């Protein structure tokens, strides 16, 4: 039993931490998310130069050869700084599809470009009617010649405006909600028939609704096996859940520290408000929520490479804990800051908003409670 | 015990409902406050109700109230909520108005009450300061006597909609040596007086509703003081209890629950509407049950008031439970719209400067997250929910 980090891992944490402390003080970020683009290419390059864009990739492609723990460390530190550059979409999601579903040619073409900061990928999976069901796919990819023609509408594609490529789930067979018949494609944004409408999200990110109108792609754009893409999608999404759990843990830590500090200094009725026992207990509950979230994030990170069944259960368990804890900590941090907690000027609201969006991403608490309950019926699993 | 309405009350309900249907401005229908463009949107409905004599349901008839019973007021609030009319801003009608007719001189009543009713003067509330929130009595803004005037210096904050206001009512310290509560006066200030500056505060959802209001050597006639010098705390407390009574928002929350159900009927969850999802339906049911209990708590309070008791300590219960329900309502709405809660919906005041105002998703999803964020405020203002619990612990339970 050992929960300690290696020396390399500690160095990695320190270097991300240094980047965040240097480039990402709160006022800089606040200005950045108000710009038209909403992200900084200079930051992206800096992240590339630290080697972070290569963390999970093999050394032969220019990567660091790291595993889930390295991703966890990076995401946690990025979460502390509320970093808006598209690390999750590009490296965790896009990179995950390339690693688990890409051919040697795919990897060679795209991974070095990601590592160098030359490629941004966004994952286009959600659909207006589909809520959180990854198998509810109405976007179609019809066989035509040796390739496919993709048509349909993908909703709230995070990092859509920044991306040059989309990973798209599309139906190649079966009915709209069938588990079988889903395929995954890597489509350049510049392909004819791809149209995006861009907008900011409430947590300062950028997203697009993307439409595909008879977009012709070659057979080589398929990631993984045709018609059998769902297990790949589930695996990559579970990895992304582990990653955003770590991001959430980073955000929670900042909120808790900030709140404790504020309650020590803010005086009302002649005493620091932290002297009021009701607020002390609230902060203790926030602290316990945080510790439980750290634990569950370790758990899911360590189980990502176990059986599908174990991995799914672990991811859903993490998403439930993180969703609940994020909501509680975010709400209470605002409440304990009083009016100040409501403002755009203070960091608290920004962390609260991000935690709220993390709860929505890849399925909220309700969704994952159901998924977990279904998976934990041991009779079925056997 | 009887909670049914008499035929006369039913007739009154019918009258109110028809009046709203015929007179509520068309261009505001279906719009929420966040979508209001500016001052006029807030005032349009106020003016229509003022002409009808219905804008200040709780005021005594001698000052322009309609002379309704508490049941009629309740019905009126229900009908307004049902039709989702614009909220009548509380600062004039529910706050400073009652203070003026209770503690003011005849001249003050003549000067201010008609303009509050007509909507000619927009009021804002200058209580909180950066250092004085929950502990309001520690406020530092000073009003120093200079002949027939006070000279006011200091800073107020969180002042709701001060950007539109004509007048502000201010709590200021007139005796620095007295005990905290005893050296405060309640003073009315024309916002056009030199030395008054308003600066915006943007909240995390992007709205501009609150402001800082600065006072630099602002000269105000002594005749603008309400009540005796150094006795302003009496007015302040009186006003706070009135503020809390309205804050439960039962009728609006009932309408909110209906809206949530409509939304969940429209939102698809696979083959079924979301409302058919047992987990979601259960959340809505729990909320509705809590709201029903609160409705009866409010009715009990109303009955108590009708029997001659003023809004009492029960108002703390109404505030805590009412705001908790409002918050859960926005939370469930956000849960219901899934990914389409994420896009940012620009506010009315931003629309002029934006080049791209595209918001994807069904109309019912627009702004769901922002409204959840903004609604965190209701547990903070009007006496935070922690402070309300302190009040119940001390005043009701005697702890
Ligand atoms: C959106 C918004 C609109 C507002 N509009 C107006 C307005 O128009 N005019 C106006 O004058 N004011 C307005 N307010 C101010 C509001 O009344 C104050 O925010 C409120 O009184 C709390 O004060 P504070 O923000 O300074 O928080 P603080 O008093 O600093 O409180 C911080 C935290 O400590 C807790 N706390 C404080 N004391 C105790 C205690 N004794 N025991 C336990 N917990 C305690 C609080 O509950 C809170 O959680 C508005 C506020 C908001 C957020």
């Amino acid at each position: 039993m050992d929960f300690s980090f290696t020396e390399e891992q500690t160095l990695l944490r320190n270097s991300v931490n240094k980047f965040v402390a240097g480039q990402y003080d709160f006022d800089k970020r606040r200005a950045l998310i108000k710009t038209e683009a909403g992200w900084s290419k200079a930051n992206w390059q800096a992240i590339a130069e630290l080697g972070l864009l290569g963390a999970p990739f093999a050394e032969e492609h220019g990567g660091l050869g790291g595993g889930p723990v390295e991703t966890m460390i990076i995401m946690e530190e990025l979460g502390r700084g509320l970093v808006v550059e598209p690390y999750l979409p590009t490296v965790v999601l896009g990179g995950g599809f390339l690693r688990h579903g890409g051919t040697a040619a795919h990897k060679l073409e795209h991974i070095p470009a990601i590592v160098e900061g030359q490629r941004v990928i966004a994952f286009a999976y959600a659909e207006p009617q589909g809520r959180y069901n990854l198998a509810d796919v109405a976007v179609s990819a019809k066989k035509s010649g040796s390739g496919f023609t993709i048509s349909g509408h993908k909703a709230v594609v995070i990092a859509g405006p920044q991306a040059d490529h989309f990973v798209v789930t599309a139906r190649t067979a079966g009915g709209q909600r069938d588990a079988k018949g889903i395929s995954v494609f890597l489509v350049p944004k510049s392909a004819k028939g791809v149209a995006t409408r861009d907008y900011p999200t409430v947590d300062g990110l950028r997203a697009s609704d993307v439409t595909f109108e008879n977009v012709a792609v070659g057979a080589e754009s398929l990631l993984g096996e045709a018609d059998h893409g769902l297990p790949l999608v589930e695996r990559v999404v579970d990895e992304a859940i582990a990653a955003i759990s770590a991001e959430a843990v980073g955000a929670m830590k900042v909120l808790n520290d900030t709140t404790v500090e504020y309650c020590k200094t803010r005086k009302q009725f002649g005493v620091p408000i932290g002297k009021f026992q009701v607020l002390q207990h609230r902060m203790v509950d926030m602290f316990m929520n945080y510790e439980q979230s750290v634990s569950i994030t370790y758990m899911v990170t360590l189980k990502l490479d176990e059986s599908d069944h174990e991995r799914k259960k672990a991811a859903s368990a993490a998403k439930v804990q993180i969703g609940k804890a994020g909501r509680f900590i975010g709400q209470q941090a605002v409440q304990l800051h009083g009016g100040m907690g409501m403002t755009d000027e203070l960091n608290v609201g920004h962390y609260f908003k991000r935690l709220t969006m993390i709860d929505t991403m890849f399925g909220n608490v309700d969704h994952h409670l159901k998924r977990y309950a279904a998976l934990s019926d041991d009779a079925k699993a056997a | 015990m009887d909670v049914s309405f008499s035929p006369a009350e039913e007739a009154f309900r019918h009258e109110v409902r028809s009046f709203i249907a015929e007179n509520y401005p068309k261009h505001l229908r279906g719009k929420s406050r966040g979508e209001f463009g500016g001052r006029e949107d807030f005032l349009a409905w106020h003016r229509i109700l003022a002409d009808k004599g219905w804008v200040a349901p709780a005021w005594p008839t001698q000052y322009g109230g309609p002379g309704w019973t508490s049941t009629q007021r309740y019905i009126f609030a229900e009908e307004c909520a049902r039709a989702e009319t614009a909220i009548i801003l509380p600062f004039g009608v529910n706050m400073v108005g009652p203070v003026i007719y209770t503690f003011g001189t005849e001249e003050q009543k003549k000067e201010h009450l008609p303009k509050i009713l007509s909507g000619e003067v927009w009021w804002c509330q200058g209580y909180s300061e950066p250092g004085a929130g929950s502990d309001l009595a520690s406020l530092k803004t000073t009003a120093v006597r200079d002949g027939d005037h006070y000279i006011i210096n200091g800073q107020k904050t969180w002042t709701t909609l001060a950007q539109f206001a004509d007048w502000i009512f201010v709590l200021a310290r007139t005796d620095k040596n007295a005990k905290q509560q005893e050296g405060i006066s309640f003073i009315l200030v024309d916002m056009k007086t030199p030395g008054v500056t308003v600066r915006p505060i943007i909240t995390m959802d992007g709205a501009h509703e609150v402001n800082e209001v600065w006072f630099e050597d602002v000269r105000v006639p002594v005749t603008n003081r309400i009540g005796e010098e150094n006795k302003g705390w009496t007015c302040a407390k009186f006003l706070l209890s009135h503020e809390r009574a309205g804050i439960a928002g039962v009728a609006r929350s009932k309408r909110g629950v209906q809206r949530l159900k409509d939304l969940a009927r429209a939102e698809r969850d696979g083959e079924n509407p979301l409302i058919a999802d047992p987990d979601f339906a259960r959340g809505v049911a729990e909320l509705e049950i809590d709201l029903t209990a609160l409705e009866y708590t409010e009715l009990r309070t109303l009955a108590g008031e009708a029997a001659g008791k003023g809004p009492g300590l029960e108002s703390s219960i109404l505030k805590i439970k009412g705001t908790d329900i409002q918050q859960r309502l926005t939370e469930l709405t956000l849960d219901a719209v899934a990914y389409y809660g994420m896009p940012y919906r620009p506010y009315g005041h931003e629309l002029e400067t934006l080049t791209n105002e595209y918001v994807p998703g069904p109309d019912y999803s627009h702004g769901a997250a922002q409204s959840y964020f903004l609604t965190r405020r209701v547990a903070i203002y009007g006496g935070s929910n922690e402070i309300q619990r302190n009040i119940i612990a001390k005043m009701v339970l005697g702890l």
Side-chain angles (χ1 to χ4, degrees), chain A residues 33-296:
Chain A
I33 61 175
K34 287 194 175 134
T35 60
E36 178 83 30
W39 71 309
S40 149
K41 289 193 176 158
N43 283 345
W44 194 240
Q45 272 315 310
I47 293 171
E49 274 154 34
L50 289 172
L52 305 184
L53 298 179
F57 300 116
E59 286 168 17
E60 55 170 316
H61 296 121
L64 298 181
V69 175
E70 280 71 21
T71 299
M72 178 186 88
I73 290 170
I74 293 171
M75 288 299 295
E76 188 182 337
E77 294 302 319
L78 296 179
R80 295 173 66 102
L82 290 179
V83 170
V84 294
E85 278 71 23
Y87 191 87
L88 180 88
T90 303
V91 178
V92 180
L93 289 159
F97 280 106
L98 288 165
R99 285 190 298 122
H100 303 312
T103 60
H106 282 136
K107 290 179 184 164
L108 208 59
E109 184 184 349
H110 298 287
I111 293 177
I114 291 177
V115 175
E116 283 163 26
Q118 302 303 318
R119 179 126 311 152
V120 174
I121 300 178
F123 180 33
Y125 65 103
E127 299 190 2
Q129 82 293 342
R131 291 185 71 79
Y132 304 122
N133 181 359
L134 296 171
D136 191 332
V137 176
V139 167
S140 66
K142 298 219 163 68
K143 213 125 182 94
S144 88
S146 65
F148 297 86
T149 308
I150 303 177
S151 293
H153 177 182
K154 291 290 185 184
V156 198
V157 179
I158 299 291
Q162 298 97 314
D164 44 64
H165 281 71
F166 292 118
V167 170
V168 186
T169 55
R171 188 155 287 289
T172 39
Q176 188 183 315
R177 292 178 206 95
D178 289 352
K180 286 231 175 69
I182 292 169
S183 306
V184 182
F185 297 91
L186 184 62
V187 182
K189 194 192 215 168
S190 57
K192 195 159 169 276
V194 178
T196 55
R197 293 204 72 179
D198 303 343
Y199 46 86
T201 59
V202 290
D203 54 348
L205 300 185
R206 296 296 183 274
S208 314
D209 269 39
V210 185
T211 50
F212 299 86
E213 212 187 311
N214 297 319
V215 177
V217 295
E220 77 289 349
S221 62
L222 192 63
L223 288 169
E225 214 184 319
D227 294 348
H228 298 281
L230 188 61
L232 170 65
V233 172
E234 288 179 318
R235 179 172 182 192
V236 175
V237 167
D238 285 343
E239 289 178 356
I241 286 174
I244 55 171
S245 297
E247 182 189 350
V249 160
M252 289 176 199
K253 175 84 171 121
V254 176
L255 275 182
N256 282 359
D257 290 352
T258 307
T259 304
V260 168
E261 195 47 42
Y262 187 76
C263 289
K264 282 183 186 166
T265 48
R266 169 71 173 170
K267 282 195 178 154
Q268 290 288 276
F269 305 99
V271 293
I273 58 174
K275 288 276 176 238
F276 300 124
Q277 203 163 46
V278 64
L279 301 191
Q280 290 177 356
H281 285 192
R282 202 80 58 79
M283 285 182 276
V284 170
D285 287 339
M286 291 165 75
F287 173 72
M288 293 194 293
N289 267 281
Y290 163 75
E291 288 296 336
Q292 292 280 82
S293 300
V294 171
S295 302
I296 212 135

Side-chain angles (χ1 to χ4, degrees), chain B residues 6 13-14 26 30 37 44 51 61 64 85 108 125 131 133 167 169-171 187 201 222 250 375 394:
Chain B
S6 69
R13 181 187 294 280
H14 184 74
K26 288 209 171 51
D51 286 345
T61 42
T85 60
Q108 287 169 333
Q125 180 186 22
W167 281 70
F169 53 96
V170 171
L171 290 179
I187 302 171
I201 301 174
V222 169
V250 170
T375 306
K394 193 168 159 197

Side-chain angles (χ1 to χ4, degrees), chain A residues 262-263 266-269 273 276 278-279 282 334-340 342, chain B residues 91 124-136 156-161 203 210 243 374 377 379-387 390:
Chain A
Y262 187 76
C263 289
R266 169 71 173 170
K267 282 195 178 154
Q268 290 288 276
F269 305 99
I273 58 174
F276 300 124
V278 64
L279 301 191
R282 202 80 58 79
V334 171
Q335 180 69 20
L336 268 52
H337 278 81
M340 282 309 294
M342 287 300 302
Chain B
F91 311 106
C124 65
Q125 180 186 22
Y127 272 29
S128 307
E129 298 181 3
S134 300
D135 182 14
L136 184 57
K156 296 294 174 179
T157 191
W158 315 122
T159 323
T160 300
L161 297 173
T203 41
V210 285
E243 182 184 356
L374 185 62
R377 69 183 168 176
I380 297 170
Y381 64 32
S384 78
N385 287 9
E386 285 79 13
I387 295 296
N390 288 350

Side-chain angles (χ1 to χ4, degrees), chain A residues 125 131-132 155 177 197-198 200-202 209 266 268-269 282 327 331 335 339 342 344 353 357 362 370, chain B residues 130-131 133-135 158 202 204 267 270-271 277 279 331 335-336 338-340 342 344 356 358 372 379 386:
Chain A
Y125 65 103
R131 291 185 71 79
Y132 304 122
R177 292 178 206 95
R197 293 204 72 179
D198 303 343
T201 59
V202 290
D209 269 39
R266 169 71 173 170
Q268 290 288 276
F269 305 99
R282 202 80 58 79
R327 197 168 279 207
Q331 292 180 348
Q335 180 69 20
M342 287 300 302
D344 179 66
K353 290 190 284 186
M357 289 303 105
F362 310 118
K370 274 202 195 78
Chain B
S134 300
D135 182 14
W158 315 122
I202 304 298
M204 63 166 122
E267 172 80 9
E271 283 168 45
D277 171 30
D279 292 335
E331 237 173 299
D335 285 342
Y339 286 111
Y340 278 130
M342 289 184 160
Y344 180 76
N356 173 9
Y358 173 62
Y372 164 65
E386 285 79 13

